[in-house]
Amino acid sequence: MMRAFVADSFTGFGGIRLEQTAMPVADRDRLLVRVAAAGVNVVDHAILHGKMPMVAAPLILGNEGSGVVEQGDAEFPAGTRVAFGGPFGVLEAGAYAEYVAVPKSMLLRVPDNIDLIEAAGLPVAYISAWMALEMGGFEPGKIVFSPGVFGGVGNATFQLARAMGAGLVMSSTGSPGKAALARAAGFDHVIDMNEAVLAEAILRETSGRGVDVVVDGLSGPVLFASLEVLAARGTIVTVGYSAGREVAIDVTKLIWKAAQIRGFNFLFESPERWALAWQGISRLLVEEKIKPVVAKVYPFEATPEAMRFLVEGRPAGRVIVRL
């Protein structure tokens, strides 16, 4: 038996509780990972509040995590430090547990210079950001905007685009305190939406040219503003909707600019593509060109509090649960 946080109903935070449950079973395709830490994601909140009807209870939540291979093989010997993300905590048992049986194709080796607490919050945000930049046609020299400077995908996109040679990377925040923190952390060109109209500020930053690639994890009014400032043949890649699921757009903004809006879903991508993305991310981590930002670490027993803090506290960085 092992300890795990199980959602037995999707009626809010009261629907998740710490339980003793059966150990996962490893086989030739799945290796047993002893979880060291789990990343807290907004998908947990969506599931617990009944906003993902394809998910069935009971379910161990936790979309991503890190740990050590417990029962390994020649490719991943016991003791190998790994991270994982994907269907966990959505379509199968997740990372809010002492052990997870992870398909070998989804195991991601953690570079030696990254500790397992940091690694727990890397897979979903960084792989999503990497693939969204690819989907948006990113190339060195292009101008990138990714709102939510301390959001998971927002910060990952900012760091990756800058490390890969973007001509200019911009982000935004609705908090003056986060704007100051961003400047202190070296994230330049962050627009404080309390002081400026987003579209006007972006056009000022780009001397009227606009943005080539937008990776948007907020949607709502931010998507509307992004369309206003999209450059000719630009692309908006939507990866989330924490600021709203509906927005009215003027389709002529797409037609006249020969622009496009594309949707990204992590679960539709193959493990082979995740592995290719992770190779590039790992290289940048080893070279210290990117660095995960962790806002707060909670003990395992406080997992529900950690999930609530992510949504209500709007932290400046990732929230992690330590096992």
Side-chain angles (χ1 to χ4, degrees):
M1 300 293 286
M2 67 171 185
R3 297 183 305 159
F5 271 97
V6 181
D8 52 19
S9 67
F10 301 145
T11 56
F13 290 112
I16 181 172
R17 49 185 50 87
L18 184 60
E19 298 180 3
Q20 290 286 337
T21 187
M23 288 277 290
V25 177
D27 55 33
R28 66 179 184 179
D29 297 316
R30 288 177 179 255
L31 298 183
L32 193 64
V33 174
R34 176 163 44 87
V35 179
V40 181
N41 288 283
V42 293
V43 69
D44 302 323
H45 182 270
I47 291 171
L48 281 176
H49 289 78
K51 296 180 179 179
M52 297 186 70
M54 76 291 291
V55 180
L59 177 68
I60 299 173
L61 298 180
N63 195 213
E64 64 183 341
S66 64
V68 176
V69 174
E70 185 86 352
Q71 298 174 3
D73 60 9
E75 186 179 358
F76 291 95
T80 303
R81 297 179 344 123
V82 295
F84 56 91
F88 308 100
V90 181
L91 302 178
E92 62 178 86
Y96 297 153
E98 292 177 312
Y99 293 89
V100 178
V102 181
K104 286 181 59 176
S105 61
M106 295 182 183
L107 287 172
L108 309 167
R109 296 178 188 274
V110 176
D112 292 339
N113 64 323
I114 300 296
D115 67 44
L116 290 177
I117 298 298
E118 294 175 319
L122 285 171
V124 172
Y126 275 80
I127 292 177
S128 294
W130 182 284
M131 291 183 177
L133 284 168
E134 286 185 335
M135 183 179 284
F138 174 80
E139 295 176 348
K142 287 198 170 184
I143 297 175
V144 176
F145 172 60
S146 189
V149 65
F150 284 119
V153 174
N155 190 265
T157 301
F158 192 109
Q159 293 202 48
L160 287 172
R162 182 173 62 181
M164 293 190 292
L168 174 66
V169 186
M170 292 174 290
S171 190
S172 62
T173 178
S175 164
K178 286 184 180 178
L181 283 173
R183 289 190 292 270
F187 300 121
D188 299 324
H189 307 290
V190 174
I191 298 161
D192 181 353
M193 294 191 295
N194 293 282
E195 297 181 350
V197 176
L198 183 59
E200 293 177 358
I202 291 174
L203 289 175
R204 243 187 344 262
E205 290 276 353
T206 62
S207 301
R209 180 185 179 281
V211 179
D212 299 304
V213 182
V214 177
V215 177
D216 176 23
L218 302 180
S219 198
V222 175
L223 176 60
F224 180 87
S226 298
L227 185 56
E228 290 289 313
V229 300
L230 205 57
R233 299 188 182 278
T235 301
I236 298 173
V237 181
T238 61
V239 299
Y241 41 84
S242 59
R245 294 187 293 175
E246 296 184 7
V247 59
I249 66 171
D250 180 348
V251 294
T252 62
K253 301 289 186 181
L254 290 172
I255 295 169
W256 294 343
K257 297 176 180 180
Q260 59 182 325
I261 301 174
R262 302 187 65 181
F264 174 82
N265 187 328
F266 190 89
L267 297 177
F268 277 79
E269 304 299 332
S270 68
E272 291 76 20
R273 288 205 66 214
W274 301 343
L276 284 173
W278 187 252
Q279 288 178 17
I281 293 163
S282 295
R283 183 185 70 252
L284 295 175
L285 287 167
V286 170
E287 295 172 354
E288 299 185 350
K289 293 181 177 179
I290 58 175
K291 177 74 173 175
V293 178
V294 175
K296 192 168 183 177
V297 180
Y298 282 83
F300 181 56
E301 294 74 13
T303 295
E305 182 183 345
M307 291 192 290
R308 188 185 299 274
F309 175 67
L310 175 68
V311 175
E312 298 178 359
R314 299 185 178 277
R318 295 305 310 273
V319 178
I320 306 294
V321 170
R322 182 203 301 265
L323 277 82

